[in-house]
Amino acid sequence: MHTAAAARVGKDSHKQKNWTAAGIQALFEMPFNDLLYRAQQVHRVHFDANSIQRSTLLSVKTGGCSEDCGYCSQSARNHTGLERESLLDLDEVVAAAQAAKEKGASRFCMGAAWRGPKDKDLEQVSEMIRAVKALGLETCVTLGMLKAGQAEQLKAAGLDYYNHNLDTAPEFYGNIVTTHSQADRFDTLHKVREAGISVCCGGIVGMGETRAGRAGLIAELANMSPPPESVPINNLVPVPGTPLANAEPIDPFEFVRTIAAARITMPESLVRLSAGRQEMSDELQALCFLAGANSIFYGDKLLTTGNPEAGRDERLFERLGLNAV
Ligand code: SAM
Ligand code: DTB
Ligand code: SF4
């Protein structure tokens, strides 16, 4: 083996642990203060403890999706009253990206409600990626499942990150989605990785899963080799008209524990405090940052639902002495 490759394998195998769901559940079961202390210790070895990365989202193609994801406002099977829209024009996307940059976002993420992109769609999204990249922003897209060759096409357009979530525990996935499987999700994640694009992959909590289920999701993420560079942890936004509209909200401390478990098991990843932030108090968000979250979605909209206004986030950063990076 080439020396550099040998060194890298050695380094990786030293760093990467094989986490079991049971081992991660044991983290969840620690006293809250001990868990947060451990998460802070890990966090401070790898990151500046007071720096938070900000990504802005834009839905470039909204609604009418063929898939049956039980949480999603954009599934054609859910009666959420959302209008199906066609792909946005390039100039609208560039204007939104420019505005996000001026507000201080470092990454711009474009989402499309597709099972996966058609080749013609991919050409138009590639144009968007080139234009957003030319503004000096990092680029991310989330377009659903990719076919052979599509990840390479996105890479050639300059794509930095592809978001594709595992969403929930493997044994629970079929309760939430039936039109594709978690194996399909892994297939796309492998294609993204092979093409040399950074991986953004996380999940949703508060969908009625058990604590063991949350630990199982974190184990799947942490055992990816390498783990995702970016790990969005979404708190379910219950959308009227979806099967999960009346899901029992998760205990906020359990949400914080999920963030801490992600931080401890994926020490070098950005852990993003994602959907559900608008419904959280400033104090709960502060606990999430203490547990190791170091990224947020920034701007008053996620894809179809609300997010805190930039001014509220700026005041929160000011009060906590956090720096945007
Ligand atoms: N269609 C693509 C896909 O499924 O990967 C991209 C868009 S999809 C809306 C992106 C992610 O948003 C989902 O994987 C899920 O994690 C998250 N999401 C969607 N609806 C949500 C909700 N109501 N609450 C929390 N997270 C949600
Ligand atoms: C992710 O994990 N969360 C973002 C992003 N990746 C694409 C999307 C959250 C969507 C929340 C519901 C909505 O606004 O439709
Ligand atoms: Fe929503 Fe994506 Fe599922 Fe379509 S594939 S229903 S956009 S989460």
Side-chain angles (χ1 to χ4, degrees):
M1 193 187 283
H2 188 276
T3 330
R8 200 180 61 241
V9 169
K11 196 164 156 244
D12 285 349
S13 55
H14 168 69
K15 272 201 245 159
Q16 182 137 15
K17 291 195 184 157
N18 279 325
W19 287 95
T20 61
I24 294 176
Q25 198 174 334
L27 293 175
F28 274 83
E29 274 152 26
M30 286 169 73
F32 189 78
N33 289 347
D34 292 346
L35 177 62
L36 260 65
Y37 181 62
R38 179 150 167 204
Q40 261 296 303
Q41 283 179 311
V42 172
H43 192 53
R44 283 166 185 268
V45 171
H46 299 280
F47 291 100
D48 176 332
N50 303 304
S51 292
I52 307 283
Q53 184 272 334
R54 299 185 297 190
S55 293
T56 293
L57 278 167
L58 177 69
S59 179
V60 297
K61 196 280 166 199
T62 305
C65 184
S66 63
E67 302 308 280
D68 69 351
C69 310
Y71 48 79
C72 189
S73 63
Q74 306 200 69
S75 166
R77 303 169 196 232
N78 296 337
H79 303 287
T80 60
L82 199 75
E83 292 275 329
R84 179 199 190 113
E85 292 172 17
S86 49
L87 191 61
L88 292 187
D89 288 336
L90 181 62
D91 53 353
E92 290 178 82
V93 175
V94 172
Q98 181 65 43
K101 188 182 176 190
E102 280 161 17
K103 283 210 162 159
S106 64
R107 189 179 306 167
F108 192 68
C109 308
M110 295 165 270
W114 289 321
R115 173 177 166 86
K118 300 195 178 70
D119 288 340
K120 190 169 144 281
D121 300 327
L122 210 68
E123 276 168 35
Q124 292 184 66
V125 172
S126 296
E127 285 302 310
M128 294 174 184
I129 293 167
R130 283 191 200 95
V132 172
K133 186 103 177 146
L135 297 175
L137 285 160
E138 289 183 318
T139 53
C140 177
V141 296
T142 181
L143 314 173
M145 294 182 277
L146 297 179
K147 291 186 294 220
Q150 293 189 319
E152 285 74 14
Q153 216 178 314
L154 291 168
K155 175 72 181 174
L159 185 67
D160 297 304
Y161 290 82
Y162 194 87
N163 166 252
H164 202 61
N165 291 340
L166 292 179
D167 280 320
T168 195
E171 64 280 5
F172 196 59
Y173 198 81
N175 294 36
I176 304 293
V177 183
T178 68
T179 47
H180 57 260
S181 66
Q182 235 184 30
D184 295 326
R185 305 291 281 183
F186 274 112
D187 178 63
T188 290
L189 290 165
H190 287 138
K191 290 188 168 93
V192 168
R193 191 50 93 196
E194 284 290 297
I197 299 167
S198 295
V199 171
C200 173
C201 182
I204 312 179
V205 298
M207 298 199 293
E209 74 286 342
T210 58
R211 175 176 271 187
R214 287 184 281 281
L217 166 68
I218 301 293
E220 280 193 298
L221 295 167
N223 289 335
M224 284 167 67
S225 187
E229 281 75 12
S230 180
V231 181
I233 304 292
N234 296 280
N235 197 0
L236 176 72
V237 177
V239 179
T242 63
L244 290 169
N246 300 313
E248 182 75 24
I250 190 175
D251 172 2
F253 295 131
E254 184 72 8
F255 184 82
V256 178
R257 286 177 185 277
T258 311
I259 299 268
R263 167 50 63 226
I264 292 165
T265 58
M266 291 172 273
E268 296 184 357
S269 305
L270 283 193
V271 174
R272 183 169 307 111
L273 171 55
S274 301
R277 220 160 50 75
Q278 193 173 35
E279 294 71 25
M280 291 179 195
S281 66
D282 285 0
E283 293 81 356
L284 176 55
Q285 292 185 59
L287 278 180
C288 292
F289 297 136
L290 197 62
N294 59 350
S295 168
I296 57 169
F297 285 124
Y298 180 59
D300 56 11
K301 208 167 170 198
L302 293 165
L303 291 174
T304 67
T305 67
N307 195 46
E309 286 175 6
R312 178 178 164 202
D313 284 340
E314 268 146 32
R315 282 191 297 280
L316 178 60
F317 276 39
E318 177 85 40
R319 288 170 78 200
L320 299 177
L322 295 173
N323 313 307
V325 289

